[in-house]
Amino acid sequence: MKKLLFIMMAVALLSSCQESLEDRAYRETLEYNKKFCPMRVDATSVLDSIVFDKTTKTKCSYFTLEGVADNLQNAQAKSAALREVLVTDIKNSPNEIKFKEAGFSYRFVYRSASDKNVVLFQTTITKEDYQ
């Protein structure tokens, strides 16, 4: 009887520890925000936060651009090159392997430091982009 009870408890414990990939991404995103955000990326950009949307399986990173990067015309002129860098970063990221295998998307939003209502650049990178 004790053995059966132990097995039932072990099964219940193990099944309660199973976390979906979406739940894991959500949890890890919250933990990352608490530990690191906001985080200065370089002289002109700050990572404000990362949000994970379970329903669309999308990780969204929000940035603020400052100084010379806080310029709508420059951001538009450099948007194709920036998108290319982001796609390459996702392709080469070992931390994202499981999420890429599951077909997650990645959204990036860059806002102006001088006017938070102004989006300087935004893009979404999907499975088709990083495969």
Side-chain angles (χ1 to χ4, degrees):
M1 186 61 121
K2 287 183 180 181
K3 188 175 183 180
L4 179 59
L5 182 59
F6 175 76
I7 291 171
M8 289 174 46
M9 288 176 55
V11 168
L13 180 63
L14 290 175
S15 55
S16 68
C17 291
Q18 292 298 330
E19 180 179 42
S20 73
L21 195 56
E22 291 81 6
D23 288 340
R24 175 182 163 195
Y26 183 81
R27 178 183 50 77
E28 287 179 357
T29 302
L30 288 175
E31 290 170 0
Y32 189 89
N33 283 325
K34 285 181 184 177
K35 288 182 183 178
F36 301 110
C37 293
M39 176 177 62
R40 178 151 301 279
V41 177
D42 57 32
T44 60
S45 58
V46 174
L47 173 61
D48 298 313
S49 66
I50 304 173
V51 176
F52 181 71
D53 183 339
K54 289 183 188 181
T55 58
T56 62
K57 294 183 180 182
T58 302
K59 287 185 175 185
C60 187
S61 300
Y62 293 94
F63 293 85
T64 297
L65 296 180
E66 306 169 332
V68 296
D70 187 358
N71 181 296
L72 185 57
Q73 290 76 24
N74 286 345
Q76 289 174 341
K78 296 178 181 179
S79 63
L82 177 55
R83 187 174 198 290
E84 191 174 311
V85 167
L86 293 170
V87 170
T88 300
D89 286 350
I90 291 169
K91 282 182 180 181
N92 296 331
S93 175
N95 296 333
E96 297 298 320
I97 291 173
K98 290 284 185 196
F99 303 118
K100 291 185 295 188
E101 288 173 352
F104 284 23
S105 295
Y106 300 84
R107 181 162 176 72
F108 298 88
V109 179
Y110 293 80
R111 295 189 181 277
S112 165
S114 58
D115 185 350
K116 291 284 190 181
N117 294 319
V118 174
V119 174
L120 299 169
F121 172 76
Q122 61 183 326
T123 190
T124 301
I125 298 167
T126 64
K127 183 178 182 177
E128 290 75 26
D129 298 312
Y130 58 74
Q131 279 189 331

